[in-house]
Amino acid sequence: MAKAVVAQAFGGPEVLAVVERELPAPGPGEVVVEFKAIGVNPIDYKLYSGAFGDDPSTLPQTVGSEGAGVVTAVGPDAVGPRGPIAVGDEVVVYRGDGVYASSAIQSAQAVLPKPESLGWEDAAGLLLTGATAWDAVERIGVAAGDTVLIHGAAGGVGLLAVQLARLRGATVIGTARTANHEYLRGIGAIPVAYDDGLAERVRAVAPDGVTAAIDTVGTDEAADVSLELVADRQRIVTIAGFGRAAQDGFLAIGGPDPDSARIRDEARGPLLDLAGEGKLVNAVAKTFPLADAARAHTELKAAHPIGKFILIP
């Protein structure tokens, strides 16, 4: 029997419960993964909140799309993005389904080899935020010589966007709470505090101007300052401010966008390679037992330390 977290109704974290279920044998193109660590993301609780629909026929809902573990069974033609998958393989899963579990059946197309040098917790929380950051950096063509403003640089996506932009040779300015400025300096960003006067503070540290901007927070401040400082609106991208992007003519990525889906899938292998080589660091803020998924979601909604929350089955 496998344990799994499900949402029994639409609402807040209180609707989550741990259930036991028997796993069938994997079918064609499927594998069973025994999870060692599971990534926690805001989209996990947004999906069962009812914000994207509340059709009761979809209940109970499984939760979670990323994790890391060991393959315990394989179906016919179990071939992943990096080749055939075998029992005993240590793997990373994204985009998975129902990953908040001790074991779960997954499509082989969501399963990639885990770099040997990468720990379970680091691997489990890398790919959702990493692929989103990769998509943003790629879509605005960040390159050597750029000065990039990243709003929410200390958040899950922001931290990886900072590192990816730096790896491409860009100068990075990141907005964050003052308490997070030292960490941002440590990964090569120039930190600035947000709120009133942000544009002036950015100009002070970037006298030659800002060439591109990535908004991970979706606030009017992020949109207004990006529009004020970046001359080319095609070099402004948001992962959250969809209304402002439509209104003001800059790029919004994610959701049903087929380009985002393709870019993020293609990014999984390179992200794992960079992390395995120590060139990309994904901070882990806190771990929770699988049974405490509701508490993890409650804490994730509040101010919390830098890095990802991880569930341990």
Side-chain angles (χ1 to χ4, degrees), residues 34-79:
E34 179 184 287
F35 288 101
K36 303 296 186 183
I38 298 156
V40 179
N41 297 283
I43 188 63
D44 298 342
Y45 57 73
K46 290 177 183 176
L47 286 171
Y48 66 76
S49 70
F52 301 111
D54 56 1
D55 180 355
S57 69
T58 64
L59 297 171
Q61 286 188 5
T62 57
V63 186
S65 65
E66 68 171 354
V70 178
V71 175
T72 58
V74 298
D77 302 317
V79 179

Side-chain angles (χ1 to χ4, degrees), residues 67-92:
V70 178
V71 175
T72 58
V74 298
D77 302 317
V79 179
R82 290 198 154 179
I85 302 168
V87 171
D89 284 352
E90 295 186 349
V91 297
V92 181

Side-chain angles (χ1 to χ4, degrees), residues 179-198:
N180 294 328
H181 284 192
E182 195 58 36
Y183 189 95
L184 289 177
R185 290 188 188 95
I187 60 172
I190 302 167
V192 294
Y194 46 74
D195 286 334
D196 293 345
L198 174 59

